Amino acid sequence: MTDRAETAVAPAMPIEEPRSPERGTPGPQPRRRTSALGRWLRQEPAGVVAALFLAAVVVVAVFAPLVAPADPLQQDIPGRLASPSAAHWLGTDDIGRDVLSRLIFGARASLWAALLAVTVAAVIGIPLGLLAGYAGRWVDAALMRITDTILSFPALVLAVGVTGALGVGLTTSMFAIGLVFAPSVARLMRGRTLTVRNEPYVEASTLAGSRSTGIIVRHILPNAVQPVLVQLSLLFAAALLAEAGLSFLGLGVQPPTPSWGAMLGRAYGYLNKAPAQMYAPGIAIALCALSFNILGDAIRRQLDPQQRR
Amino acid sequence: MAVGLTVAPAAAITAEATSPPRGTSRPRRGRRGLLRLASFLITVVLATFISFVLIKLVPGDPATAIAGENATAEQLAELRHKLGLDNGLFQQYWHWASRALHGDFGISLYTGQRVSSMVAQRLPITVELVVYATLLSLVIGVPLGVIAAMRRGKLADRVLTGLSSLGVAIPNFWLGMVLVTLFALTFTWFPATGFTGISSGPLAFLKATTLPAVTLAAAGIAEVARQLRSALIEIFASDYMRTSRARGLPRRTMIWRHAFPNAGVTMLTIVGLLVSRMLSATVVVETVFAIPGIGSLVVDAVKQRDYPVLQAVVFVLAVIVLLVNGVVDVLYRRIDPRIEA
């Protein structure tokens, strides 16, 4: 019931918190390494496919200069808005650049941007959640009040606002998105910290005279962080979509650097003449976001067998 | 419990089945209401602070950022004064927040209009759009969620679950572009862009607003269906449902009399969530459909470095979300007497 009440106070985020697992022993899990891969293949085929797909996208992004058939910035005005052909598998854009190459290089900007946003969210959210959960009392009350307030701003509106203030660009816009996502990470981390803090091994460590920082780093963080890592995987999908939105609006990745969102922004200008321009980047974003969601859900189910439905 | 029994009998039944006996001490109803109101007001005040801080994030001097490098010293001084930047930090905040709470957000740097009237002009458009999209999400999402839950694990459930995963993964503005291409440019059933308010007649409204509303609603439908499905599955597995089955109640009675009222809390939570998400999504969707609502206003404000407008829109939207959440909160305390302050 508390779970529902919490969602009600702070529903502004794109990702719902995974329900707190309430397991009997949140300590180290019994290890069943022997058949881990087999179990994954059997129980989470979709998750495995999603992971493989994402791995392939990452490889393509990393080796973009080797994979891409052409220079993503090479213009060819006479051959602009061409349909797919042997030379340009996905056609050319409004100033004659090869769409496939831009898609491949766009993976770099888009994934990098999402990674940046999720890292910012984790770097801000995890320590704050630990602090709130461990310190308790007024520190907790104050921090949670602030996170609730931030969560009451519609996420993208606040991200656009922060980007507007910091100045447009990939780094600033992703910092903004990370900032907006951080409260949900902090909330989950706090909840887990509260659970783990009362475990006997933490109490034992406290009684043995360990310092708070030591307890937090050695005992609480490793035992509380698992669900947060799952949430980060789901946030990755949300960040990818947010990046696409901001770059579409011209606030994120700046030209001439290709990103999937920015490509859609350009395609929007030619919706009348060349509607086919929008399909490849849109599908790329959707497939990646879908894969991150599927993967996140699969990991969550594997970590928390009670959730399996 | 007496109040709860008259309002929502089915919920009260669950309470007996699941909730442990409560302690006797609980604050009186009125006092709890006051506490909630106080916490709401604190959050609003904090929201003024966050909105105010936006202009402090501008690197360097906001006045120079707005006026450009070539502005004269007098122009800069005037702009600083306009923005209230020539005061101390606390004074600036106090000035901004106290006016904001009275609905006065200053003058737009770009149009010279009062920011409050710009917001007032554009807000109803976004509200109409979001309400329409929310209704669409419920009207389509609820039956899908019920079907998926009742046919759990069967083909229909799998297809619906797959579709709803896709629904939350597709970038909404891209969906908007696809819909425009298909239904406005290829088949000219709907206009590609623009907005017609409901005051111009329901048919004109539906014609102009259906594409953007569907665009906004896609993720909402997916969310409603998914959440309702898992709420219903949980309810179907509960003791009182098993009892009803054992008593041989017809399936329809079980669903309408027992399952639905108990899923009510979930539904309310989702509606609160949807409003916030849709307001978020209007930022891009309104741009795609060239709708002069508050979402496109915030984008324009960023591009024009119109900080007063930016601050105002961010603040106003946060307050709307807070109000919606407040209403949701009150409502589901009425539906479900188990939820305490």
Side-chain angles (χ1 to χ4, degrees), chain A residues 12-35:
Chain A
M13 289 312 296
I15 299 289
E16 64 164 327
E17 300 181 2
R19 301 195 174 174
S20 58
E22 307 290 358
R23 271 173 309 195
T25 50
Q29 297 260 307
R31 307 225 159 173
R32 285 168 296 176
R33 276 232 169 133
T34 42
S35 64

Side-chain angles (χ1 to χ4, degrees), chain B residues 161-185:
Chain B
T161 308
L163 281 179
S164 72
S165 307
L166 205 59
V168 291
I170 288 178
N172 45 28
F173 59 95
W174 181 67
L175 180 65
M177 287 162 71
V178 173
L179 291 178
V180 165
T181 312
L182 213 58
F183 296 110
L185 301 177

Side-chain angles (χ1 to χ4, degrees), chain B residues 118-133:
Chain B
M118 289 169 76
V119 171
Q121 199 186 346
R122 282 170 171 247
L123 191 58
I125 295 175
T126 301
V127 169
E128 281 181 30
L129 185 63
V130 167
V131 168
Y132 183 19

Side-chain angles (χ1 to χ4, degrees), chain B residues 24 183 331:
Chain B
T24 42
F183 296 110
L331 280 179

Side-chain angles (χ1 to χ4, degrees), chain A residues 245 248-249 264-265 268 271 278, chain B residues 171-181 191-194 211-212 215 281-291 295-296 299:
Chain A
F248 171 79
L249 294 172
L264 285 177
Y268 176 68
L271 219 49
M278 69 181 168
Chain B
N172 45 28
F173 59 95
W174 181 67
L175 180 65
M177 287 162 71
V178 173
L179 291 178
V180 165
T181 312
T193 55
L211 284 189
T215 304
T282 54
V283 174
V284 265
V285 172
E286 285 185 354
T287 305
V288 170
F289 289 93
I291 292 172
S296 50
V299 177

